[in-house]
Amino acid sequence: MWGVGRKYRERLRRQGIATALDLAQKPLQWVADRFPQPIVNTYRELNGIDCIAMRSEGPSKSVSNTRTFPKMIERFEQLEAEVSNFAADCSATMRRQHTRGKAMLVFVETNHYRTDLPQYNNQAVCRIEPPTNVSAELVDYAVRLLRGIYRQGFRYKRAGVSITSVVSECDMQRSLWEEGAERRRRQQRLDAVADSLNSQVGRGTVVLGAQLRQQPDDGGK
């Protein structure tokens, strides 16, 4: 229920309230005498009285995940694992928002403070067709973009993934004859299971193989 966190949940249970129905059936004065205004508002909402202002703005137009690494990364496999995690995190965010992405940007940077080292930075973009929030698909796009901009001989300090042109799932037109539709539905079911486990057990409990982090080379600073 809206407004009911761990603290209030225990207070409600001590009063014999275990479900939303239990709360809704109590008298208003009984609720107001025992609980603060957020719980009273929740009670009113459960009984059909609007109290909680709804946000009118649409979903975010972009979803990004970037990181400055504690140690510089040189090997492609290490950078691939980081970028894969960024893409998977973006996909999970879009699933929570019920949105999908239509384009992606991936960038890499060396440490510009280390003037004693070779410097390099680059980025690549691509369209995502059809728009998606499936982890496996977005990770695949991200790795392909990374392969195009990765250069050996550099130590990378920062990288990131940005999903742009994000649209609501409600605004999308779907086709029964969409190529790979059945495969995408299977992947969406897998993502739903992974999201549930990661929410219950802890972030990163279930990941794709490409997300497995490689340890940075010793000595990279």
Side-chain angles (χ1 to χ4, degrees):
M1 291 184 290
W2 177 88
V4 180
R6 181 180 301 175
K7 178 181 177 181
Y8 289 149
R9 183 169 65 245
E10 294 303 320
R11 288 181 61 180
L12 287 164
R13 285 177 176 172
R14 287 197 295 270
Q15 296 290 337
I17 297 174
T19 68
L21 180 61
D22 292 338
L23 179 60
Q25 291 178 337
K26 292 290 185 181
L28 172 60
Q29 193 59 51
W30 185 94
V31 177
D33 288 344
R34 291 165 175 78
F35 296 99
Q37 193 60 42
I39 300 301
V40 176
N41 287 344
T42 299
Y43 167 88
R44 291 177 181 274
E45 288 280 340
L46 291 171
N47 283 279
I49 303 171
D50 292 337
C51 297
I52 305 169
M54 302 299 291
R55 297 177 61 183
S56 59
E57 64 266 25
S60 301
K61 298 301 182 182
S62 66
V63 177
S64 300
N65 199 321
T66 66
R67 186 183 183 212
T68 298
F69 309 126
K71 295 184 177 181
M72 288 183 288
I73 292 177
E74 189 168 357
R75 292 171 49 210
F76 176 81
E77 292 79 11
Q78 297 168 337
L79 204 55
E80 177 187 27
E82 297 288 351
V83 168
S84 296
N85 273 287
F86 300 155
D89 286 347
C90 288
S91 66
T93 298
M94 287 192 292
R95 288 194 294 275
R96 289 193 296 271
Q97 297 177 348
H98 303 289
T99 57
R100 298 187 185 190
K102 299 172 65 176
M104 176 184 286
L105 178 148
V106 173
F107 76 87
V108 293
E109 296 177 358
T110 54
N111 189 346
H112 61 272
Y113 293 108
R114 290 290 302 271
T115 56
D116 57 316
L117 296 175
Q119 298 294 310
Y120 173 75
N121 64 82
N122 204 350
Q123 66 180 35
V125 297
C126 72
R127 290 182 57 84
I128 300 173
E129 189 61 41
T132 186
N133 58 18
V134 172
S135 289
E137 295 177 356
L138 291 175
V139 167
D140 184 60
Y141 277 110
V143 171
R144 278 189 279 168
L145 290 176
L146 177 64
R147 289 187 187 278
I149 59 177
Y150 172 80
R151 299 292 183 272
Q152 280 189 314
F154 295 97
R155 294 184 178 181
Y156 297 94
K157 185 64 175 176
R158 189 166 178 264
V161 171
S162 180
I163 311 296
T164 59
S165 301
V166 172
V167 295
S168 171
E169 288 183 328
C170 298
D171 297 334
M172 295 189 57
Q173 294 183 347
R174 300 172 184 171
S175 171
L176 294 174
W177 296 275
E178 178 183 304
E179 183 178 354
E182 180 55 35
R183 177 178 58 83
R184 181 167 293 107
R185 282 192 287 270
R186 290 197 300 270
Q187 291 175 328
Q188 289 170 335
R189 289 194 290 269
L190 288 173
D191 279 342
V193 173
D195 289 343
S196 177
L197 289 172
N198 287 334
S199 174
Q200 296 176 35
V201 183
R203 182 180 177 184
T205 301
V206 180
V207 299
L208 299 171
Q211 292 178 249
L212 297 176
R213 296 187 186 277
Q214 302 290 325
Q215 292 299 316
D217 294 330
D218 292 337
K221 298 181 180 179

